[in-house]
Every structure is written in C-alpha cells, then in structure tokens.
Amino acid sequence: MRSIRAAAMAACLLLALLPAVAPAASALSSEAAPEAAAPCSKPYLVEREFKNGARWSLCWEMREIEGLTLTKVVYTPRGHKPVSVLRSGHLAQIHVPYDSGEPRFQDMAGGLGSSVVPLQTQDCPEGERRVQDDIPMFCVLPDQARGLAYLRPSLGEESLRASVQGKELVVFSAFEIGWYTYLVEWRFADDGSITPRVGATGSLRGSDGIVVSPKHGWPIGVGSSDFEESHSHNIFWRLDFDIQGPKDDAVEQFDFTGSGTAKRVMKTTALAKEASAKNDRTRWWRVVDKTVKNADDHPASWEINNSDSAEYRGPASEKFSQADVYVTQYRKCERLASENAEPPCKGAVNQYVNGQTITDPVVWVSVDFHHVARDEDQDPMPTHWQGFHVAPRDITAKNPH
C-alpha cells in the first residue's frame, strides 16, 4: 500500500485553478457561476447539486499517512458564485488511552492508508463505490435526509405556512485498526454546513488475560468477574481553510460573558498568532476572509463549533491533549497532531504553536468520547459517533433554501 499516496495525488492533480474572484464587494453576489475546469480527474471528483440549487464539489484521495483526504472543497449557494472552503481536510490522529493508564494507543502513528477496508455493496447501499489501487475504498451515498431545513408557521395567514426537508451529501471510508473499525465520514448539507465525524464499531478489546479493576471498567458477560476497561477515543482533525484562496484568511474566537446575569456581552479575540484554545460552554471560532463579502457587505466566514466533545486531558507527557482547538500557520510537513514523523516539523500539534503570525490558517479540532462499555456492545459493537460542526456565517445574505 506504500504507493497509495503517490497514485492518488497523481490522479488528482489540479487541472486548472479556481476562477479568479470578483472584486470583494461582489465576490459572493447572486450571479451565474462561470464554467470551470474540473479540479481533479473524474474517479476522484465528487459533485452534487441539490433540489434547492446548492452545489458541492470536492476531490478525494487515500493517502498513506492521513488516510481519506478531501481536497479543493467548494460550496456554491443557489444563484451565487462558487466559494472555496477547504484546501484539504483529514484525520490527524486517533488517540486511545485506557483508564488504567495503559495502553495508550496512537492509531495513526504507522499511517492510516494501509488499514483501509475494501467496501462491499451492502456497505454503500444505493451509493457509488470509488476505487483506488483496484480497491473499492470510498463511498458516495445518494442524497440523505437531514430533517427539516425550516418550518415557517402560518402566523394567522395560511399562505405563509411553509416547510422544507433538508438534504446532505455523505461520503466515507472505513479503516480496521486493532479491534475497531473506524468510519471516517463527511456530511455536506444543502445549507452549506459541513459535519466531519468518526464512527467506531467492530469489537471490544476484551481482557486479553489482564485483570481489569472495577474502578476502570464495566462488567461484561455473565456475572461480575470480567470487566471491559473504559477508554477514550480522542479524534483529531486537520482543516486547511482557503476562503477564495489562501490569502486574507484570519481566525477569531468568540466568547459570551454574563452567566447568571440578565445581560450577556460578546467578546471577540483575533488569533493573529498561532494559538491553542479550550472549549467553553458558549465559545466558538470562525475562519473569516474580510475581503470576500456577501450582498449585505458582511465578511464571509465559516463557524466552528466543538460543543459535543468530552474534552479529554491527558498527562504532561501528552501535551497535545491539553487543548481542544489549535490554530497554526500552514506548513506542509505538519500532518499529524501527534507522532508526526516528517522533519523538519515537530512531533505534535502543541509544538507547532510557536508564535508564528497567521496568514494561511490551519485549524486542528479534537473531538473526544469516553467509552464505558455495556452489554449491548457485544458483538459486533454498535457504532458510536463523534464529530463537530462547520457552518457558513454570512456566506449568503439570507436563508439559502
């Protein structure tokens, strides 16, 4: 499998640059989108247009280290020009520490690409399996329902009553690591939002002859003599944002003070230099390009919300686990959040934060889940999901539906 990354990158060479953007004030205005050359060859190109007129376009490849990697991700709202969102996005580490202190797996240390699971027809129902190196390893599902996009009541006038069901494009690959199968999934909605998430299934580790203390596990099987050890799944993602190209992108953090009071105050912090941040109840971030604006003259941005994470904190020897979000300046060799083995870059994401000014931001998001096993996890284990949300903020001037 060592040829995976080279083969995929060669197949997905850029054939043409994205079309030049219009002047800032009209870059996202409601104009017909010009035809552009495909950003990658057909087997690696995914395009989807929804009934509401919105479009997504992206390329995929299976890399030796990062596994499933999406590149050149572009969103086109109905009646608007395309706006590029991500240069690339992929997993950056699967950190699995057990509650007793050992073992402490870092599942991507040897590369994720060699663990890819060949997908069968039933794994990708009614979808399209895409092939690389003669292996069906990427699934593109048909439009998936995501619930009500909106429901507007009549307010006394029945003509105002309206509702729309939302749809989303879902793509995924699967990887077998130890006892687990990890489903790496991306969901692209017709409202412009993105949900990257990982599903863990497969089998429980079992005691392997090791006596697990009741303090560190849960009884599995008959009686209370065999305990499955609790553990965490700490999933790191790496998102290289490019809002209409790498220039002029910046990252801001938003906090809201006033818990327990009648008033709340918004505080905005510009992350002009590389930084790490921890989740807070009302904290979120955005990547903004202040030269690209919507019809209301508001800067275009993408909001990042990581409120579903269990927020794992490891020991001093795992400093990369001491924050939930990192913002770094783009460097090609900074590929993994830990066990990064490509010099001259450092070995972990906390070491990437060294005071550089941010001109081309990369956002690293850790989504953590504490798995306390239950009888229902036997066997095979039901999939448990963990992910975060990326939403358009001021990409359009009104509801895109």
Side-chain angles (χ1 to χ4, degrees), residues 263-338:
K263 293 184 178 180
R264 310 192 79 174
V265 178
M266 184 173 70
K267 178 184 177 182
T268 304
T269 304
L271 304 182
K273 294 185 180 294
E274 294 178 319
S276 61
K278 296 181 179 179
N279 286 338
D280 204 351
R281 291 293 185 184
T282 58
R283 176 173 290 172
W284 47 271
W285 299 263
R286 74 166 180 168
V287 180
V288 58
D289 189 322
K290 295 184 178 180
T291 70
V292 180
K293 299 183 179 182
N294 67 9
D296 284 342
D297 201 36
H298 295 156
S301 65
W302 297 86
E303 175 183 326
I304 301 166
N305 187 302
N306 190 24
S307 60
D308 293 339
S309 177
E311 300 176 19
Y312 175 84
R313 302 287 181 258
S317 59
E318 296 171 345
K319 290 185 178 179
F320 62 87
S321 69
Q322 299 298 316
D324 303 293
V325 171
Y326 293 88
V327 179
T328 63
Q329 174 67 5
Y330 172 80
R331 292 191 73 190
K332 184 178 180 180
C333 60
E334 292 177 350
R335 299 167 66 180
L336 297 182
S338 65

Side-chain angles (χ1 to χ4, degrees), residues 84 129 145 381 383:
S84 62
R129 291 178 296 155
M381 180 170 55
T383 305

Side-chain angles (χ1 to χ4, degrees), residues 40 79 110 113 115 350 353 378 392:
C40 54
S115 302
N350 60 289
V353 178
Q378 301 177 101

Side-chain angles (χ1 to χ4, degrees), residues 88-112:
S88 66
H90 57 76
L91 282 191
Q93 191 53 268
I94 304 173
H95 177 222
V96 190
Y98 279 71
D99 281 17
S100 65
E102 292 292 341
R104 311 186 70 80
F105 297 112
Q106 300 197 52
D107 285 337
M108 291 183 65
L112 195 59

Side-chain angles (χ1 to χ4, degrees), residues 121-186:
T121 302
Q122 63 266 29
D123 305 327
C124 185
E126 301 180 8
E128 180 184 2
R129 291 178 296 155
R130 301 285 185 92
V131 173
Q132 181 177 304
D133 289 352
D134 298 322
I135 300 172
M137 58 176 64
F138 181 69
C139 174
V140 183
L141 288 172
D143 288 358
Q144 302 293 294
R146 63 177 183 87
L148 279 167
Y150 68 81
L151 190 158
R152 183 173 63 193
S154 63
L155 300 176
E157 292 192 31
E158 194 59 33
S159 62
L160 296 178
R161 179 68 163 82
S163 67
V164 169
Q165 293 290 328
K167 299 289 186 179
E168 56 190 356
L169 162 67
V170 178
V171 299
F172 71 90
S173 292
F175 302 88
E176 184 178 1
I177 302 175
W179 304 272
Y180 278 85
T181 302
Y182 290 103
L183 308 174
V184 180
E185 180 188 86
W186 294 77

Side-chain angles (χ1 to χ4, degrees), residues 27 56 59 64 82 113 136 178 185 207 223 229 279 284 302 325 370 393:
W56 282 101
C59 300
E64 179 184 3
E185 180 188 86
S207 64
E229 187 170 351
N279 286 338
W284 47 271
W302 297 86
V325 171
H370 189 223
R393 176 168 287 275

